[in-house]
Every structure is written in structure tokens, then in C-alpha cells.
Amino acid sequence: MAGGSLEGRVLAEKSTWSHSGEIVWRPVWMARISEDGKVRLGVEKEEPPLNIFDRFGGSLDDIHLLGNSLLFAIASAPARLTNN
């Protein structure tokens, strides 16, 4: 429950190498889906929902934003953990 309503989360993780040379998985991207089907990127409650439904009023720009944000998060996350 998030703020009194049901919400699902889609989490993408990327495998990285730890300092000791072991593979670890870490989250790099998240989308939230409310019980009424609204999709929001990230964890911010104020984030406006994306209009991804493929029907009248749906936006291909928002569908592309959703996919591109996932690809960017995976590609830009480092493959090896740093000491910082």
C-alpha cells in the first residue's frame, strides 16, 4: 500500500562486480503502477503519470520515454562498483 492505495512496482536490476570480485545485483530503474493503471517512473509521489495506453489519448512519446528510461538506466549504470 502506498498512501492508502494499492500500487505495484517494476524494478530492474543490473549485475555488477563487487570489490571482492563477486557478482552482485543492484537496482537501477523502477516504475510504479497504481491500482487504476497509471504508470509513474521512480519513487517520487509527485511524478506525473505516463500516458502509455495504446488507445485514444495514448501517447507514443510516453511509451518511448518509458522504454528509453529503462535502457538508459541499464546502460549508464557502472558494470563494476567503485570505492566512492
Side-chain angles (χ1 to χ4, degrees):
M1 300 281 282
S5 64
L6 188 62
E7 179 177 273
R9 293 180 180 205
V10 178
L11 179 67
E13 295 181 326
K14 181 174 181 174
S15 64
T16 60
W17 294 97
S18 70
H19 305 295
S20 61
E22 297 178 20
I23 294 177
V24 294
W25 290 87
R26 64 184 195 97
V28 294
W29 182 88
M30 187 183 74
R32 300 181 342 264
I33 302 125
S34 65
E35 61 186 325
D36 60 357
K38 293 180 180 168
V39 178
R40 290 179 169 85
L41 294 175
V43 296
E44 297 297 322
K45 298 294 178 198
E46 298 81 28
E47 187 74 28
L50 299 176
N51 187 7
I52 63 167
F53 297 104
D54 189 20
R55 58 182 166 168
F56 179 74
S59 170
L60 285 178
D61 289 342
D62 282 352
I63 293 171
H64 292 146
L65 174 66
L66 184 67
N68 286 339
S69 71
L70 172 59
L71 292 174
F72 178 79
I74 292 170
S76 64
R80 183 171 295 276
L81 294 177
T82 62
N83 289 329
N84 297 341

